Amino acid sequence: MATFISHSIAETAALGEQWGRAASAGWLVGLSGDLGAGKTLLAGGLARGLGVTGRVPSPTFALVHEYPGGRLPLWHLDLYRLTTRAEIAAAGLESYLCRPQGVVVVEWIERWLEEQSGPLAPGVRMRRVEIKIAGDAERRITYEDFGG
Amino acid sequence: MTLLAIETSCDETGVAIIREGRVLSNVVASQTAIHAEYGGVVPELATREHLRNFMPVAAEALRQASVTPAGLDAVAVTRGPGLPSALLAGLKAGQALAFCLRKPIAGIHHLEAHLYSPWILADPPRGDFAQFEPSVSLVASGGHTLLVHVRGLFNHRVLGATLDDAAGECFDKIGKLMGLAYPAGAQIDRLAADGNPKAFQFPRPMLAEANDDFSFAGLKTSVRYFLEKNPGLLDDPRRLRDVCASAQAAIVEVLAGKTARAARRLGARCVTASGGVACNNALRRELAAACAQAGMRLRLAERVFSTDNAAMIGILAERKLMAGAGEMDLDAEIEPNWALPLA
């Protein structure tokens, strides 16, 4: 388990960007954190690190945004409007959670994992990330890698 | 031309029958009513619901219009952007219908349909393109917030868009922070009507910046900090209404302010607004005031055509097909990432 303390929006985005530059195909980044913690911000940084240009808005309503333009294809999911595995599957999102050809970043990943904290399936490499609001600008970002 | 239009890009399953610019029927199987019962989350969103809803909704649209499938001259369907599995449900249904009827099918851009929806009258429901004029247009909903320069009919360029949360999403998430049920936008509008919009000062993100982009994530976060620093505030119904009014004022001032400013800069004589957030009463007032001051005409989408619906898809498709545009192959694919052209 690693911990990163971010003091600003810029630092959170930069952490994502660093992860994006190092990302390889078949990687899933699962994000947890309250409304306003900075999940979309971190995902946006990750997209930029992969070479995605342009906006990376919140996928809350669309549920999934696809970015084919970077070094690897990126899928940005948001499970905020769904609560259980059954609902996520019914929305047709299950198939996104294992994409060997690209990178997947999922906001509100706990909605999928429910009680489980480990990897999603054999062969899936996952970084489980928790963002805690520690102050008006400060965020405590902890993460742990599973699988691979 | 009699046309059956299908909309399934996100939550709503919509089917409409259009004839010569008139909306003969417009049926939406809204999942929002079901959502509210679950306090902010959505059971069986999207795909499976579209499959379940499509046949009854289509049958009802045909029945209300007194049209049989054999009486259709064309089919129209939302091809993108949207949730792939949801788009696929509508696109394949439309293609199957067009194939059986041996009629053309149009693939329509969901945001383009919103963009031209202010040119649909509600009573009686029909296209009003005789009145069309170039405009600067705000499209604001739960999933989208963009500013578009409409230079002519079907000649438009995106000026700016949200960098993070959409305006409707900001309403819903601020509502969630205040403990309101989903979807919170309409409730905030209602509660804000009796609140003081100047009671609390929230930031007006990007209002002062020279570009036409929006950002609402920071506003959401500042409401969060504010509520954490003022525990118990929400227990007082009067203060709750003040928070609603103050947060709403921040969103609405940014939307109306940037729209009016872009219109002045581009010399537009008309402003339009569409999408679910265009139902918000404060936004309608703010846009009306800004346009009156600048001597610009304001054209707001009728409420029934603001949220996702198939009538706007069909009205646009009929215009396009008549102009020899919009038709797609029977095996054409969905376009989940379809973007409008940029300025």
Side-chain angles (χ1 to χ4, degrees):
Chain A
M1 179 104 66
T3 301
F4 177 89
I5 305 293
S6 166
H7 304 91
S8 66
I9 283 170
E11 283 184 24
T12 301
L15 178 70
E17 202 166 335
Q18 187 188 318
W19 291 358
R21 280 195 298 270
S24 60
W27 196 39
L28 187 144
V29 178
L31 307 175
S32 297
D34 284 344
L35 285 178
K39 297 178 295 301
T40 302
L41 193 65
L42 189 67
L46 200 147
R48 264 185 300 285
L50 277 167
V52 172
T53 53
R55 305 177 179 94
V56 181
S58 163
T60 292
F61 272 75
L63 304 180
V64 54
H65 285 157
E66 199 177 325
Y67 298 92
R71 181 169 58 81
L72 293 165
L74 172 71
W75 290 273
H76 183 189
L77 275 70
D78 190 337
L79 308 181
Y80 174 71
R81 300 201 297 146
L82 306 156
T83 42
T84 64
R85 279 195 168 207
E87 287 168 16
I88 293 161
L93 297 183
E94 210 171 8
S95 65
Y96 289 94
L97 296 169
C98 179
R99 291 272 158 140
Q101 70 274 41
V103 177
V104 182
V105 57
V106 185
E107 301 190 30
W108 300 91
I109 187 69
E110 64 272 29
R111 305 280 166 88
W112 172 258
L113 297 174
E114 293 178 349
E115 303 301 303
Q116 176 189 346
S117 63
L120 297 147
V124 176
R125 289 174 297 114
M126 178 176 74
R127 175 163 293 173
R128 179 91 162 83
V129 186
E130 177 100 35
I131 311 177
K132 283 243 187 321
I133 299 176
D136 275 9
E138 196 172 304
R139 300 290 185 270
R140 185 182 174 83
I141 303 170
T142 54
Y143 55 95
E144 190 170 6
D145 293 326
F146 297 91
Chain B
M1 184 189 297
T2 304
L3 183 148
L4 180 143
I6 303 166
E7 153 65 32
T8 63
S9 65
C10 195
D11 297 356
E12 318 290 359
T13 314
V15 176
I17 308 293
I18 307 297
R19 178 183 287 155
E20 317 298 345
R22 286 172 296 133
V23 181
L24 299 187
S25 65
N26 180 34
V27 180
V28 181
S30 179
Q31 298 178 38
T32 313
I34 313 166
H35 299 176
E37 293 172 26
Y38 290 78
V41 287
V42 179
E44 301 223 344
L45 240 179
T47 315
R48 200 182 291 174
E49 285 301 305
H50 288 308
L51 295 174
R52 210 198 318 264
N53 290 339
F54 178 74
M55 287 308 285
V57 169
E60 179 62 15
L62 286 163
R63 192 193 65 76
Q64 285 183 16
S66 302
V67 168
T68 62
L72 296 171
D73 302 304
V75 177
V77 56
T78 304
R79 191 178 179 184
L83 178 65
S85 52
L87 288 167
L88 202 57
L91 183 94
K92 290 300 155 192
Q95 287 172 337
L97 183 61
F99 174 74
C100 293
L101 298 171
R102 308 218 187 300
K103 298 293 182 191
I105 180 166
I108 296 298
H109 193 296
H110 179 78
L111 293 175
E112 201 177 312
H114 273 303
L115 188 59
Y116 292 100
S117 65
W119 306 102
I120 310 176
L121 297 171
D123 191 19
R126 60 178 170 85
D128 190 30
F129 288 96
Q131 300 296 316
F132 174 83
E133 58 184 317
S135 65
V136 162
S137 298
L138 173 70
V139 182
S141 65
H144 303 278
T145 300
L146 61 160
L147 210 47
V148 187
H149 188 197
V150 183
R151 300 185 292 198
L153 201 52
F154 310 140
N155 176 2
H156 43 254
R157 297 285 182 275
V158 174
L159 299 165
T162 184
L163 304 175
D164 39 58
D165 295 2
E169 175 181 356
C170 186
F171 270 111
D172 278 334
K173 289 187 172 171
I174 285 175
K176 176 84 173 175
L177 292 171
M178 292 193 290
L180 302 177
Y182 178 92
Q187 283 185 83
I188 290 178
D189 191 351
R190 209 161 38 242
L191 290 165
D194 302 315
N196 175 8
K198 294 193 166 70
F200 308 108
Q201 186 62 31
F202 293 115
R204 269 61 173 161
M206 299 186 79
L207 184 56
E209 288 181 36
N211 60 43
D212 296 316
D213 287 329
F214 298 97
S215 167
F216 292 107
L219 172 60
K220 167 191 69 190
T221 308
S222 67
V223 171
R224 173 184 200 103
Y225 295 150
F226 171 80
L227 293 173
E228 282 170 355
K229 282 169 192 148
N230 295 277
L233 192 83
L234 298 179
D235 299 333
D236 178 349
R238 191 174 57 84
R239 304 310 270 168
L240 171 73
R241 288 194 291 272
D242 287 345
V243 178
C244 286
S246 301
Q248 175 176 271
I251 299 172
V252 158
E253 271 180 39
V254 172
L255 290 174
K258 296 200 84 163
T259 303
R261 193 181 65 192
R264 281 195 302 273
R265 188 184 74 235
L266 294 162
R269 298 176 58 190
C270 178
V271 164
T272 76
S274 59
V277 178
C279 291
N280 179 275
N281 288 300
L283 178 62
R284 293 171 94 90
R285 280 196 305 272
E286 193 85 15
L287 281 170
C291 289
Q293 197 185 359
M296 294 179 291
R297 272 179 296 279
L298 175 64
R299 184 96 186 198
L300 298 165
E302 299 282 359
R303 288 166 200 269
V304 62
F305 300 124
S306 291
T307 48
D308 287 353
N309 66 89
M312 65 178 188
I313 304 296
I315 288 284
L316 182 65
E318 192 185 34
R319 300 274 324 177
K320 290 208 149 190
L321 288 171
M322 285 191 313
E327 194 176 344
M328 66 175 174
D329 292 336
L330 276 179
D331 60 351
E333 302 290 343
I334 54 169
E335 294 279 1
N337 307 312
W338 206 357
L340 290 175
L342 296 175

